[in-house]
Amino acid sequence: VRHDAIERAISSGKPAVTAPIWLVQDNKSRVGVLVLHPAYRQAEDRAGQATKPALIGFSVGVIKIDEMIQIAVRDKLPPGLEFHIEDRDVPAEQGSLFRSGTSEALPSGAYLWKTQLSVANRSWEMSVFPTAAFLHQQRSWSAWFAGIAGLLFASVLQILFLATTGRTFTVQRKVDEQTKEIRA
């Protein structure tokens, strides 16, 4: 058990979570954390007054992150969306708790959503983002329709402008011819 988590649990009197650890069980290698919850015994002095509770030990629980996520999500995450959970209290190379897909790096841009998760004494960051295939599949047809309608409208305006300009040219030429005839 990690010494820093024990010290935090003792000093705060509240549960503490360890940094990510590798669990090797069920013939799988997976990431997990240990949750340490201090257990106290309330004692009384000779006069029957309650004394300061005495620490008698810890209750320790193992949390398998992948199973916790599977229970929480229960196949409700649409295909093409991925999420990562990172422990920000440890160096980056040790902080990966969960990755739902194959993407190693987070994308940059407007499609990345992040939030902080507080788990006992630790801060985890959850990032959700779409894959390129998901974005391609979810194209906004209304945007395409608006773009095409705009192009068609611009084309109609251009045709009207050209027709008006051509007609004006024809009328001007006719006026010039008639003016020459009148002068002659």
Side-chain angles (χ1 to χ4, degrees):
V1 178
R2 305 241 174 153
H3 186 67
D4 59 332
I6 293 173
E7 285 180 10
R8 273 191 234 127
I10 291 172
S11 65
S12 69
K14 296 179 181 177
V17 176
T18 65
I21 58 174
W22 283 101
L23 302 173
V24 184
Q25 48 188 322
D26 305 327
N27 295 326
K28 293 181 184 177
S29 182
R30 54 174 40 148
V31 176
V33 294
L34 298 179
V35 179
L36 297 114
H37 197 295
Y40 294 94
R41 176 172 290 138
Q42 183 69 47
E44 295 179 358
D45 62 12
R46 293 180 190 237
Q49 297 294 321
T51 61
K52 182 178 176 186
L55 178 67
I56 58 171
F58 291 94
S59 173
V60 179
V62 176
I63 297 179
K64 301 172 192 172
I65 302 297
D66 58 339
E67 286 183 8
M68 179 180 71
I69 299 298
Q70 185 179 21
I71 290 168
V73 174
R74 295 205 194 270
D75 300 326
K76 292 180 182 160
L77 188 68
L81 287 182
E82 290 190 19
F83 67 97
H84 294 179
I85 299 178
E86 308 286 329
D87 187 336
R88 293 295 174 205
D89 296 333
V90 297
E93 65 274 359
Q94 299 169 357
S96 179
L97 292 165
F98 182 79
R99 294 180 186 275
S100 67
T102 58
S103 298
E104 284 298 317
L106 294 176
S108 60
Y111 298 115
L112 176 64
W113 178 78
K114 291 182 179 185
T115 190
Q116 295 294 318
L117 304 172
S118 294
V119 180
N121 60 315
R122 302 202 75 82
S123 177
W124 295 352
E125 182 178 81
M126 182 173 75
S127 305
V128 180
F129 56 94
T131 62
F134 182 83
L135 289 174
H136 180 71
Q137 203 174 33
Q138 302 299 323
R139 277 194 184 148
S140 174
W141 291 109
S142 59
W144 280 98
F145 177 73
I148 291 170
L151 288 173
L152 288 174
F153 182 69
S155 298
V156 168
L157 283 177
Q158 187 176 13
I159 290 169
L160 287 173
F161 180 71
L162 289 174
T164 305
T165 305
R167 191 173 196 184
T168 302
F169 179 74
T170 304
V171 169
Q172 184 66 40
R173 194 175 70 197
K174 190 79 160 170
V175 168
D176 289 343
E177 287 175 9
Q178 287 178 351
T179 304
K180 282 183 183 180
E181 286 178 14
I182 292 174
R183 286 188 184 161

